[in-house]
Amino acid sequence: MELRALGSTGMQVSPLGLGTVKLGRNQQVKYPSAFELPDDKAVSGLLDLARELGINLLDTAPAYGSSQERLGRLLGNRRKEWIIVSKVGEIFEQGESRFDFSFEHTVKTVEQSLATLKTDYLDCVLIHSNGDDLQILEQEGALGALRELKRRGLVRSHGMSSKTIEGGLRVVREMDVVMATCNLDHNEELPVLEAAHVQGKGVLIKKGLMSGHVQGAAGVRRSFKHVFAQPGVSSMIVGTINPVHLRDNVRLLEQVLEGSA
């Protein structure tokens, strides 16, 4: 896969990114069927396959259970081969999520992620919104903390996984990267993608396959065509622990991007 610019960050990312929630968490997730967490051998094999297929983007978060701990252990000296996107704000404990967007907690979360992932920098850190995008950006300390962490060199770029049009547009104005929802049934946030394209900001797409509810090659192909028809899309995050699905997704996406599907 040909790499794409992550906005004006200077980083190049694969058009398909690997979401890693299924590496570490199978509680309170919105997938169509239950699943068991893969063992380390399976995770290591999945990471090897992803790189073989041209994927260089990993999306993780402290709220994804043991995902970061496993990545830190299994990536080893291959860390520089990856663009790692992490998050702040959501805490998942004892089967439930809670949120903290304070300056202090944001700094602490990033420092913990650095230690857990065994790296001295994160390529991108997104605020994991609870839906109150504007309140978070205007009244909480997370934005200021990420700016400070970027100044210190611990974070290469920052943004938000937003949930509203107004919040997404504010992210585009003030941050480097926006993660927005776009799929065949959800197009409300297209103005955010357009604004990001105009302003040269990075765009990551979440829920492009409706959290696994899009089934079959035809549905996946239509979804890819729809998402990548939008301007400025840097990468679409797809979470899978199935090597066959991963290969199929890459094959279908390459067909779409080459115009043969």
Side-chain angles (χ1 to χ4, degrees):
M1 290 183 292
E2 185 175 347
L3 299 182
R4 295 179 164 214
L6 184 61
S8 56
T9 65
M11 289 179 275
Q12 298 284 318
V13 296
S14 53
L16 192 69
L18 181 62
T20 66
V21 61
K22 287 186 175 182
L23 304 188
R25 172 177 162 185
N26 56 7
Q27 296 176 292
Q28 299 296 314
V29 289
K30 299 178 181 179
Y31 297 107
S33 58
F35 60 93
E36 295 296 324
L37 298 181
D39 60 24
D40 279 359
K41 182 179 179 180
V43 173
S44 184
L46 191 74
L47 294 171
D48 288 343
L49 176 60
R51 287 300 293 129
E52 175 189 322
L53 295 172
I55 294 172
N56 76 336
L57 177 63
L58 293 174
D59 177 72
T60 186
Y64 292 173
S66 60
S67 170
Q68 292 197 342
E69 185 272 330
R70 302 186 79 181
L71 289 174
R73 185 172 70 251
L74 297 174
L75 288 181
N77 59 12
R78 299 177 297 168
R79 189 272 177 259
K80 293 187 181 298
E81 299 177 12
W82 298 94
I83 300 294
I84 297 180
V85 177
S86 187
K87 302 182 186 73
V88 294
E90 182 181 356
I91 303 102
F92 185 77
E93 293 175 334
Q94 298 179 338
E96 295 186 355
S97 287
R98 61 183 178 87
F99 295 87
D100 187 334
F101 301 105
S102 66
F103 186 103
E104 294 78 11
H105 187 265
T106 300
V107 172
K108 179 181 178 181
T109 300
V110 169
E111 291 175 344
Q112 288 178 335
S113 290
L114 291 169
T116 303
L117 288 163
K118 299 181 181 179
T119 182
D120 54 5
Y121 67 94
L122 294 171
D123 297 290
C124 183
V125 175
L126 305 175
I127 300 171
H128 214 161
S129 177
N130 63 357
D132 294 325
D133 297 345
L134 290 181
Q135 178 181 336
I136 295 166
L137 294 170
E138 294 173 354
Q139 300 180 29
E140 303 284 355
L143 175 56
L146 290 181
R147 286 172 171 166
E148 171 64 16
L149 291 164
K150 183 180 176 182
R151 186 192 66 78
R152 290 168 54 190
L154 300 179
V155 171
R156 296 179 69 190
S157 64
H158 52 48
M160 173 183 268
S161 177
S162 56
K163 294 190 176 181
T164 65
I165 297 172
E166 296 79 10
L169 293 174
R170 178 66 66 87
V171 173
V172 168
R173 290 198 297 272
E174 299 192 20
M175 305 184 82
D176 305 313
V177 176
V178 64
M179 177 179 276
T181 299
C182 178
N183 58 52
L184 292 170
D185 286 349
H186 182 96
N187 292 301
E188 290 86 342
E189 296 171 56
L190 293 186
V192 176
L193 307 189
E194 176 64 30
H197 175 59
V198 170
Q199 298 188 43
K201 300 301 178 72
V203 175
L204 302 176
I205 299 298
K206 58 184 174 179
K207 301 179 182 177
L209 298 180
M210 303 181 198
S211 299
H213 288 81
V214 173
Q215 299 291 323
V220 172
R221 187 182 290 110
R222 286 197 305 272
S223 298
F224 283 151
K225 289 184 72 171
H226 177 68
V227 167
F228 285 93
Q230 311 310 322
V233 172
S234 306
S235 185
M236 175 173 158
I237 306 300
V238 177
T240 184
I241 52 176
N242 186 323
V244 175
H245 289 170
L246 185 61
R247 285 188 183 276
D248 288 346
N249 286 339
V250 170
R251 175 177 55 81
L252 293 169
L253 179 55
E254 288 180 332
Q255 290 175 359
V256 167
L257 295 179
E258 290 168 2
S260 58

